[in-house]
Amino acid sequence: MLKVGIIGVGAMGTQHFLRLMNKINGATVVAVSDINEARAKEVIAPYEGVRYFADPYALINDPEVDAIVIVSIDSTHEEYCLEAIRLKKYIFCEKPLSASAEGAKKVVDAEIAGGKRLIQMGFNRRFDPAYEELKELVVSGKLGEPLVAHCAHRNANYPPQYDDVIAVTGTAIHEIDTMSWLVGDYFTKAQVIFPKTTRHSKNKNLHDPQIVMLTTSSGMVVSCEIWVNCQYAYDIRCEVLCEDGTATLPRPKRVDVCTAQTHYTGMTTDGLGYFAEAYDREFQAWADACNADTYCAAAASAWDGYCAAVTTDSCLKSQKSGAIEPVPLTDRPDFYKG
Ligand code: ISE
């Protein structure tokens, strides 16, 4: 049984805690740390034997803890990863790997120096059945070479703290990792375009929506619309244009309603619920891999986290310059192949 310590039990961390406690085979949570002690204690209260740690480093170092789940604020991910790597403990790290590409590189270098792949990144869409189906079709070559993709990532609304930086490092990063995984290529150029902003943006430092334009090393172009105050629902779209046809991400199955001369299908505003199956599958895969003392090849690695961070750094530069910025990435090192 894998004994897990979780750092961060906000909305997503709490769901990860409950998932590991109730749904995932071969894993259980034995320790939790959070800056909000009252909240953490409330989350663990119904479960016997889960200890609270005020100090996340004490949790990482605790001999009872085999593996760490990092769901704390973005700026802390790098330091906790480095500490867990030092102790050779398995890590599930929510995105981003680090707040900067430079920081992400330090984590990758530490993992390579330790000689063992320990990090699984929480890019959950790699475990979403709809995305899996789309990828399978695109890479099968049945539709020819992919040329262009159009993606949309829409959240219903966000509180005022949400700004242009988070739009890239918290939201666009999903499209960046997903599309690079889907077409098996990395990005070489990035540009962010600001259309007219919605009146629903609550922060003067948030342009909403924004369009992230990415070019892969083979010349494919991916447009990602990031719109975090769209009001109507949580909505994720992706269409890939290939030489001999197009492939579109299926929408989640919902009841189809006819009433009062109207025909509609319901939607949700809950992003965590929308991808619940993907979260379940990624955690089961992580637990299975840790228990087998290996890494999950289907999941995003620290290298993928690094690639995403390099790409988001270029997007942040472009938000300021308005220009097409280079994405300084190289081929995947052997350590991260397979
Ligand atoms: C958030 O951090 C997520 O991970 C969600 O999946 C995404 O929809 C949201 O925009 C992000 O802020």
Side-chain angles (χ1 to χ4, degrees), residues 109-143:
D109 288 346
E111 195 179 41
I112 294 175
K116 188 172 181 186
R117 278 177 57 173
L118 295 168
I119 298 180
Q120 175 169 327
M121 290 297 302
F123 285 122
N124 59 323
R125 296 201 200 160
R126 293 179 179 224
F127 291 89
D128 177 65
Y131 269 109
E132 279 180 347
E133 196 184 331
L134 183 62
K135 176 180 166 70
E136 211 177 290
L137 179 62
V138 171
V139 300
S140 74
K142 284 183 193 147
L143 297 179

Side-chain angles (χ1 to χ4, degrees), residues 229-267:
N229 288 286
C230 81
Q231 306 299 301
Y232 69 88
Y234 184 77
D235 195 7
I236 301 294
R237 300 179 183 205
C238 179
E239 182 183 26
V240 185
L241 281 56
C242 304
E243 288 169 309
D244 300 316
T246 69
T248 303
L249 188 73
R251 300 178 78 80
K253 285 191 185 70
R254 311 277 301 205
V255 175
D256 194 278
V257 184
C258 294
T259 179
Q261 300 87 52
T262 315
H263 178 195
Y264 69 85
T265 309
M267 297 180 82

Side-chain angles (χ1 to χ4, degrees), residues 12 95 153 155 158 162 170-171 174 228 234 279:
M12 176 178 267
K95 50 82 194 166
H153 188 136
N155 294 94
Y158 256 107
Y162 194 100
T171 300
H174 280 293
V228 298
Y234 184 77
Y279 287 116

